[in-house]
């Protein structure tokens, strides 16, 4: 069972959650003064239109026609499936649906914001975009967006993923991007981390620092971010807007689930549904799933912190483990982040979203069952959502009640097979650190 929309049903507007949040978002702070950041300072880092979108109080922002055309080219609208074989294997009365973002040409949801960010950069006359990537999905997406729109792209890829997932960097290079392992010798912050540990596995926080340092040296370059900030999450809401229409062909969901590193794919699916809850029109339940190795939602502190490891970004009020946290090298590279999207942090604080955390062996076990029953190998990040959906379906079975579960399968794992090999060979290590910098550890 699946629902597929025609090209003409690609959403015409993104949904911006800022005006609907239960409380106003705390302003980003200038790292030099600890005062609210002046938008003008952000213009040296981001394309101008993205800065406007980050601060916008408009509930809906129009998607440019060119971006919608590119969405159609890369596979939007993406399909929505019912996981009937998984339901049977679990023996559950729950009905499980998933939105499959792995159907895009780059294999994940990241292309949704990559195309938008590249489009606005091109319109402004920017020549180069520089970015970070964890597992490589975001770097892949931005590399293709740059190729389609005629922009140069440079990517700093977390070193652990650079080693674990070599074909990700091959694809980025094939699309025309430069790719470097992070920490690298190209930046001062990279050299600093390498002096501390020549085999440092890196992480999103360090790669962000390197990308921003690089941008500030190049007047023709701007930074593109794959998650966390509001404009990025907003671009992803095409996922949820499509899913709302597709679920209309079946039934209303009771619970909506997504994995979380920074928060973009979870928000992409959930935020259009969250709007209905905040307006009192629906009673959906939202579950956000993270790794126990990087548990910003379940164990982090809500406070101002840097979005990167080097302290270059504005300070944001968010759930954080501390920007100096050394994130263990789990295979879900896209979830190896110390912080969280500020908008998602607010929703967690108000009880709108419930976070849970899992070990990676449990996550890969769930992914194995999903692959055997539905035929799709999930990305290790997306497998966290699979685990959340399976646990919820088992609970429905134990409690003897029907429930409709919708989750976001945000990417395929066909280039993540080293992780699956380690899992099958019993070599996968679980990490659950006892101490975090934000907790004084």
């Amino acid at each position: 069972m699946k629902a597929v929309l025609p090209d003409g049903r690609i959403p015409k507007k993104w949904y911006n959650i800022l005006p609907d949040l239960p409380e106003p978002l705390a302003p980003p702070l200038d790292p030099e003064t600890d005062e609210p950041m002046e938008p003008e300072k952000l213009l040296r880092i981001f394309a101008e239109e993205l800065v406007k979108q980050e601060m916008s109080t408009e509930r809906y922002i129009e998607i440019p026609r060119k971006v919608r055309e590119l969405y159609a080219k890369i596979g939007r609208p993406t399909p929505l499936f019912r996981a009937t074989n998984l339901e049977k294997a679990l023996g559950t009365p729950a009905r499980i649906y998933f939105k499959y973002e792995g159907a895009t040409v780059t294999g994940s949801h990241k292309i949704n914001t990559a195309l938008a960010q590249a489009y606005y950069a091109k319109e402004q006359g920017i020549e180069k975009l520089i970015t970070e990537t964890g597992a490589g999905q975001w770097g892949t997406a931005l590399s293709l967006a740059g190729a389609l729109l005629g922009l140069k792209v440079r990517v700093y890829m977390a070193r652990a993923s650079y080693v674990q997932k070599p074909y990700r960097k091959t694809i980025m290079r094939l699309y025309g991007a430069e790719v470097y392992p992070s920490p690298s010798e190209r930046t001062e912050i990279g050299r600093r981390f390498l002096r501390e540990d020549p085999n440092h596995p890196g992480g999103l926080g360090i790669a962000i620092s390197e990308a921003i340092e690089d941008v500030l040296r190049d007047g023709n370059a701007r930074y593109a971010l794959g998650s966390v900030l509001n404009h990025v999450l907003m671009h992803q809401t095409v996922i949820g807007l499509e899913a709302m229409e597709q679920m209309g062909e079946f039934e209303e969901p009771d619970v909506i689930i997504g994995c979380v590193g920074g928060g973009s794919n979870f928000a992409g699916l959930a935020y259009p549904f969250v709007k209905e809850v905040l307006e009192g029109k629906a009673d959906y339940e939202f579950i956000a799933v993270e790794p126990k190795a990087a548990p910003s939602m379940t164990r982090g502190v809500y406070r101002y912190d840097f979005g990167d490891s080097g302290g270059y970004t504005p300070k944001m009020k968010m759930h954080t483990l501390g920007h100096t946290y050394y994130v263990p090298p789990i295979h879900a590279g896209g979830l190896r982040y110390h912080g969280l999207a500020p908008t998602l942090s607010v929703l967690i604080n108000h009880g709108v979203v419930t976070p849970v955390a899992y070990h990676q062996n449990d996550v890969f076990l769930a992914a194995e069952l999903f692959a055997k029953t539905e035929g799709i190998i999930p990305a290790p990040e997306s497998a966290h959502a699979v685990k959340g959906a399976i646990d919820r379906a088992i609970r429905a079975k134990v409690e003897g009640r029907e429930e409709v579960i919708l989750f976001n399968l945000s990417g395929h794992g066909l280039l993540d097979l080293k992780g699956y090999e380690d899992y099958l060979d019993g070599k996968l290590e679980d990490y659950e650190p006892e101490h975090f910098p934000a907790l004084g550890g």
Side-chain angles (χ1 to χ4, degrees):
M1 298 176 63
K2 67 179 178 180
V4 180
L5 300 175
D7 291 356
R9 301 305 299 171
I10 293 173
K12 293 182 170 62
K13 295 180 179 180
W14 294 299
Y15 167 58
N16 177 20
I17 200 171
L18 286 189
D20 295 324
L21 285 177
E23 66 178 69
L25 204 62
L29 301 183
D30 190 319
E32 296 178 357
T33 65
D34 270 348
E35 296 294 323
M37 191 83 173
E38 294 293 332
E40 290 74 22
K41 282 195 171 184
L42 295 174
L43 296 177
R44 179 60 191 85
I45 302 174
F46 297 100
E48 182 177 356
E49 182 59 31
L50 299 177
V51 175
K52 291 178 182 177
Q53 291 180 1
E54 185 67 22
M55 311 289 185
S56 176
T57 57
E58 293 182 38
R59 186 167 283 107
Y60 291 96
I61 292 179
E62 185 173 350
I63 303 174
R65 189 172 113 181
K66 177 64 174 178
V67 174
R68 294 181 74 244
E69 291 172 352
L70 290 169
Y71 279 172
K73 179 178 284 292
I74 57 86
R76 301 222 71 83
T78 55
L80 183 142
F81 294 91
R82 181 173 168 187
T84 52
N85 288 343
L86 179 61
E87 295 168 9
K88 291 175 184 175
L90 296 172
T92 178
R95 295 179 294 282
I96 306 172
Y97 297 85
F98 61 94
K99 180 71 164 160
Y100 187 39
E101 290 297 293
T104 66
V105 296
T106 56
S108 86
H109 68 294
K110 293 294 189 178
I111 193 69
N112 300 325
T113 186
L115 290 170
Q117 293 187 51
Y119 168 80
Y120 291 120
K122 183 71 172 181
E123 288 291 291
Q124 191 177 324
I126 294 165
E127 298 176 359
K128 182 188 301 178
L129 290 175
I130 302 175
T131 195
E132 81 297 327
T133 195
Q137 292 279 25
W138 166 240
T140 299
L142 192 69
S143 298
L144 176 59
L148 293 175
L149 287 156
L151 295 167
K152 296 178 181 177
V153 174
R154 181 177 296 148
V155 181
Y156 290 90
M157 185 176 183
R159 184 176 293 272
S161 292
Y162 188 92
V163 173
Q164 292 168 351
K165 309 167 198 282
Y167 295 119
R168 292 265 188 233
K169 61 178 178 282
T170 300
I171 294 175
M172 291 182 237
R173 292 176 59 204
L174 192 60
Y175 286 148
E178 301 174 54
V179 190
Y180 299 96
S182 174
S184 76
E185 294 286 354
R186 290 182 53 83
T187 67
E188 178 53 42
I189 190 67
R191 291 188 289 272
R192 191 186 89 191
F193 279 104
L194 287 175
R195 284 195 297 270
E196 295 173 2
D197 179 3
N199 298 310
H200 200 297
L204 282 168
I206 296 173
I208 291 170
S209 294
E210 290 207 87
I212 291 178
E213 182 181 327
D214 198 346
V215 165
L216 294 176
R217 295 192 304 230
D218 189 340
N220 293 320
R222 291 294 184 276
Y223 174 55
L225 182 64
S227 191
V228 180
L229 292 183
N230 183 58
H231 70 269
V232 183
L233 274 59
M234 181 188 74
H235 297 155
Q236 294 294 354
T237 59
V238 292
I239 302 170
L241 293 167
E242 288 177 8
M244 292 183 87
E245 186 170 348
Q246 289 165 316
M247 286 300 292
E249 298 184 21
F250 299 113
E251 52 192 328
E252 282 286 298
D254 296 305
V255 58
I256 296 160
I257 300 172
C259 68
V260 174
S264 71
N265 92 77
F266 173 85
L269 175 65
Y271 277 13
F273 291 93
V274 168
K275 175 180 179 291
E276 300 296 297
V277 171
L278 295 177
E279 292 179 346
K281 297 177 180 178
D283 192 27
Y284 308 120
E285 188 176 348
F286 302 96
I287 298 176
V289 187
E290 67 183 0
K292 286 192 174 185
S296 60
M297 296 185 293
T298 53
R299 296 181 63 187
V301 176
Y302 185 59
R303 72 175 198 193
Y304 272 103
D305 195 10
F306 293 102
D308 69 315
S309 299
Y312 293 164
T313 67
K315 293 180 181 178
M316 298 177 290
K317 196 167 187 182
M318 60 182 176
H319 286 265
T320 179
L321 300 168
H323 69 280
T324 59
Y325 174 51
Y326 184 102
V327 186
I330 58 172
H331 278 279
L335 306 187
R336 295 181 61 238
Y337 186 57
H338 68 273
L340 186 68
T343 56
L344 181 52
S345 296
V346 168
L347 294 174
I348 290 172
N349 291 345
H350 283 262
V352 179
V353 175
T354 301
V356 297
Y358 296 116
H359 278 304
Q360 66 175 347
N361 271 290
D362 294 333
V363 166
F364 274 82
L365 178 63
E368 181 184 15
L369 176 60
F370 188 81
K372 287 177 176 176
T373 54
E374 298 299 324
I376 298 172
I377 299 173
E381 295 80 9
S382 306
H384 286 71
V386 174
K387 170 63 174 170
I390 287 175
D391 276 11
R392 188 65 183 223
I394 292 173
R395 192 175 99 173
K397 177 182 178 179
V398 171
E399 296 176 357
R401 59 181 175 80
E402 295 186 359
E403 185 168 70
V404 180
I405 300 166
L406 171 64
F407 71 93
N408 192 13
L409 190 60
S410 55
H412 67 63
L414 297 180
L415 293 176
D416 300 289
L417 296 182
K418 182 63 170 70
Y420 282 97
E421 181 180 54
D422 287 349
Y423 160 73
L424 293 171
D425 292 343
K427 297 178 181 179
L428 209 59
E429 183 177 353
D430 285 330
Y431 303 90
E432 189 172 7
E434 295 181 5
H435 305 291
F436 303 99
L439 302 177

